[in-house]
Amino acid sequence: MTETNFFSSGWAAVVRDALDAGPSDQVRAGKLQEYWDLFETIKSVYPASWALGCRELPAELGGGPAYLFVQWAGGTVADCRIIGPDEPLAATYVLAMDYADWKALHDGYDAQRTVMYRKILLEEGNLLEFFKTIYFFAECLAVIGAVEARYPALVPA
Amino acid sequence: MTDRPSPTAVLHEGPRALSDAQVREIEESNLADVLKVDIDDVIEYVHKDLKALPDFTTLYRKYLKQRWDVYDLDFSQDVIDWQEKMTEDERQSFMAIASGFHHGERQVEIELPVFMIGASEEEKLHIAAQIEDEARHTVFFDRFYREVVGLKGDDIMDILDASFPWVSETFVGPFGLLAYQADELRRHPYDERARVRYGTTYFLWIEGVLALSVMKVTLSYARWRGFLPAYYTGFTATCRDESRHVQGGMKYLQDAVRKDPSMINEIHDTLRTILYTSGVNSRQIYYEPLGWTQDEVRILFFQQLRRKLNDVGISLSPDLEELLTKVQPVLAGG
Ligand SMILES: [Fe+2]
Ligand SMILES: [Fe+2]
């Protein structure tokens, strides 16, 4: 079986299942129950959508920029797909990150520091509203990064 | 045994009155003499001028007199205390609390330059000084973790990587918010409303509430037990620096609200987001080895926030008062 490419439609389908399932038992075991209770509460009512961009997507993955669109509704992912460069970009929050940082996240770099070190940035959307649910976002970002996929090696600049 | 007061005694004392001699001791001590200064007096000193805030040139002149050389500290007694006198529980508790500061100092150093772009010329002097303070505080923790705790690494980021496992996941609440607000200022450096929101997170919450509370926990432990003299000296000198940062920050917010009373909404909106993310812990932190309980740390948080708001003349809306009752301590600062 060939591995799914990062930022392909097949990958988006796996991401959708992974987000619906939420963090693994191993991840959950490392943090307090009250933290996960808050996570589940937010997940159950979260009404917003994310467009998570990848800048400089390698040519063999289609070239970029491209966005992963995630729509939340009723505690599940109602829509999850790749938006190409020519399609309209409409989401509550538009964020973007370089390919190298997506790859680092996949290789195990911490999702909280991916936010704090401004590797992923908010390009559109209300910042203060976005941050009210930042723990939910950071845990979901870690889930997305952990999805198995083929990430081509970086071409040295 | 020691006859020093317990670390939490000041919680029940109420505000202290500082004599002129005590204020002079705090303001004029050189680095070696900072060891003799009581941390609770320094925290009281932060509030001394909040009702009649000094201007930015005065703060800059204080900085020139008070800056200290982080490379003058000698950690050799701290190494002995850390390795031989402190228990494993005390070390773990200390690491859980201090690591948020290690990362916080770095974060407030690198997020500050964009705030300078839209500042008045006098405030620029103060901010330039503060950036240098925060760089020095970053080096202070780098030296402590390297020389006393014994973390290994070739550069500053290696040591940050090594202490990061002790940082709570909830750190991304205030510090991620600050990073994104700094990015907002990078794009719109003269947006006065964005500057007030940034200032609320940085100066009121991170420096005025988180930093001063957490400083007090580790410093009162060190003073109570008579341990870690170089840590006590450097971090108490850091606290004296923070008094200038908090005073400058409160002056900025107070002036902004006086010029345009609707700016209070920006402060409230920012506090609302911060308090939403401050109601939960991701890890169990045991303060008891350092002489504190979680409830006492919460009381300290409230005291710190209330005093800033009262002294500067910022009132809270009822929904913020309600959120405030649910706040849990975040162990970090800058
Ligand atoms: Fe500071
Ligand atoms: Fe600092």
Side-chain angles (χ1 to χ4, degrees):
Chain A
M1 201 185 114
T2 51
E3 210 178 0
T4 317
N5 276 337
F6 171 66
F7 256 74
S8 64
S9 56
W11 175 74
V14 184
V15 165
R16 177 187 191 143
D17 293 343
L19 286 173
D20 275 337
S24 68
D25 290 346
Q26 195 195 347
V27 169
R28 285 178 192 266
K31 295 160 206 171
L32 289 179
Q33 188 56 44
E34 66 176 73
Y35 177 81
W36 295 117
D37 290 346
L38 177 66
F39 175 92
E40 294 299 338
T41 303
I42 293 168
K43 187 178 177 209
S44 69
V45 296
Y46 198 67
S49 57
W50 304 326
L52 306 176
C54 179
R55 302 185 205 102
E56 295 143 31
L57 194 65
E60 61 181 290
L61 298 183
Y67 287 83
L68 172 73
F69 177 78
V70 179
Q71 172 70 59
W72 290 92
T76 60
V77 177
D79 192 5
C80 188
R81 62 192 159 82
I82 303 296
I83 303 178
D86 303 325
E87 290 177 65
L89 190 60
T92 321
Y93 304 109
V94 178
L95 297 102
M97 170 154 77
D98 288 347
Y99 174 71
D101 293 317
W102 276 109
K103 188 170 184 332
L105 182 71
H106 180 65
D107 293 340
Y109 195 80
D110 179 81
Q112 269 88 9
R113 280 218 272 179
T114 300
V115 171
M116 256 154 17
Y117 286 16
R118 275 178 274 141
K119 294 173 186 300
I120 194 161
L121 276 175
L122 186 67
E123 297 189 331
E124 282 171 41
N126 184 307
L127 199 165
L128 290 178
E129 279 305 311
F130 177 72
F131 258 84
K132 283 180 182 168
T133 53
I134 188 62
Y135 309 140
F136 173 68
F137 176 80
E139 294 298 339
C140 287
L141 187 63
V143 166
I144 296 170
V147 166
E148 276 310 320
R150 193 177 74 87
Y151 285 69
L154 292 165
V155 184
Chain B
M1 272 307 279
T2 168
D3 58 357
R4 295 182 197 278
S6 89
T8 58
V10 75
L11 285 181
H12 316 290
E13 255 178 37
R16 290 183 169 191
L18 294 178
S19 67
D20 290 348
Q22 281 171 312
V23 170
R24 257 199 316 281
E25 186 192 23
I26 293 166
E27 290 195 333
E28 293 168 16
S29 284
N30 61 28
L31 187 61
D33 290 333
V34 168
L35 183 60
K36 295 180 218 140
V37 175
D38 183 342
I39 178 59
D40 289 317
D41 289 343
V42 182
I43 288 177
E44 185 59 42
Y45 171 73
V46 174
H47 299 91
K48 183 180 88 68
D49 289 326
L50 283 184
K51 287 186 177 120
L53 286 159
D55 62 32
F56 291 116
T57 310
T58 304
L59 289 171
Y60 179 62
R61 294 187 69 163
K62 275 192 184 178
Y63 156 82
L64 291 174
K65 287 213 163 58
Q66 292 178 349
R67 66 181 165 182
W68 44 284
D69 187 339
V70 63
Y71 296 102
D72 281 348
L73 292 169
D74 173 2
F75 283 106
S76 49
Q77 180 60 44
D78 295 50
V79 174
I80 295 167
D81 293 345
W82 184 266
Q83 290 178 351
E84 297 173 15
K85 298 187 184 163
M86 288 171 68
T87 66
E88 181 58 19
D89 279 354
E90 286 173 325
R91 283 192 290 262
Q92 285 300 326
S93 186
F94 199 98
M95 285 289 282
I97 296 170
S99 298
F101 242 104
H102 182 206
H103 287 261
E105 294 288 8
R106 172 210 172 264
Q107 195 89 10
V108 296
E109 173 202 349
I110 64 164
E111 307 301 3
L112 193 48
V114 287
F115 185 72
M116 198 202 278
I117 301 169
S120 70
E121 292 310 307
E122 287 70 23
E123 191 179 6
K124 284 187 172 93
L125 304 178
H126 166 72
I127 294 169
Q130 181 168 342
I131 292 170
E132 192 280 317
D133 277 333
E134 305 300 9
R136 187 160 13 88
H137 302 166
T138 303
V139 174
F140 168 74
F141 275 98
D142 183 73
R143 283 198 62 196
F144 178 77
Y145 273 99
R146 212 178 271 277
E147 296 176 39
V148 179
V149 179
L151 299 185
K152 298 273 182 286
D154 291 335
D155 56 26
I156 285 175
M157 188 50 75
D158 279 355
I159 301 297
L160 286 161
D161 287 344
S163 77
F164 191 68
W166 277 273
V167 176
S168 284
E169 289 73 16
T170 47
F171 185 84
V172 76
F175 287 89
L177 176 60
L178 182 67
Y180 276 39
Q181 288 177 315
D183 192 59
E184 191 178 23
L185 288 190
R186 179 182 64 78
R187 284 176 284 132
H188 310 288
Y190 303 103
D191 180 337
E192 216 33 71
R193 307 198 89 82
R195 297 186 81 241
V196 167
R197 293 193 295 269
Y198 168 104
T200 304
T201 303
Y202 191 129
F203 310 123
L204 178 60
W205 187 255
I206 291 177
E207 292 191 315
V209 178
L210 300 188
L212 290 174
S213 306
V214 177
M215 285 177 143
K216 165 138 184 68
V217 173
T218 59
L219 287 173
S220 56
Y221 160 79
R223 189 171 168 85
W224 173 47
R225 301 295 304 269
F227 289 166
L228 307 174
Y231 177 87
Y232 185 88
T233 301
F235 209 28
T236 301
T238 296
C239 189
R240 184 172 68 180
D241 297 337
E242 290 310 323
S243 73
R244 279 183 276 105
H245 305 171
V246 172
Q247 288 170 8
M250 294 308 101
K251 174 157 183 62
Y252 166 72
L253 290 177
Q254 192 177 56
D255 286 352
V257 173
R258 282 180 184 167
K259 241 184 278 166
D260 177 355
S262 75
M263 286 293 183
I264 192 80
N265 298 329
E266 306 298 334
I267 296 176
H268 284 174
D269 286 349
T270 308
L271 282 175
R272 196 167 288 117
T273 290
I274 290 170
L275 295 179
Y276 259 102
T277 59
S278 302
V280 69
N281 287 309
S282 59
R283 302 182 183 195
Q284 190 70 55
I285 308 287
Y286 295 100
Y287 301 89
E288 285 74 7
L290 303 189
W292 288 77
T293 65
Q294 187 157 326
D295 277 343
E296 285 169 329
V297 177
R298 276 168 48 97
I299 292 170
L300 186 60
F301 262 58
F302 296 139
Q303 284 185 353
Q304 291 296 326
L305 180 62
R306 291 266 176 226
R307 288 198 70 185
K308 308 291 173 314
L309 294 174
N310 289 344
D311 289 354
V312 180
I314 296 171
S315 56
L316 291 181
S317 54
D319 74 306
L320 285 172
E321 291 284 356
E322 167 71 22
L323 277 170
L324 201 52
T325 62
K326 301 189 181 116
V327 166
Q328 299 291 332
V330 174
L331 300 166

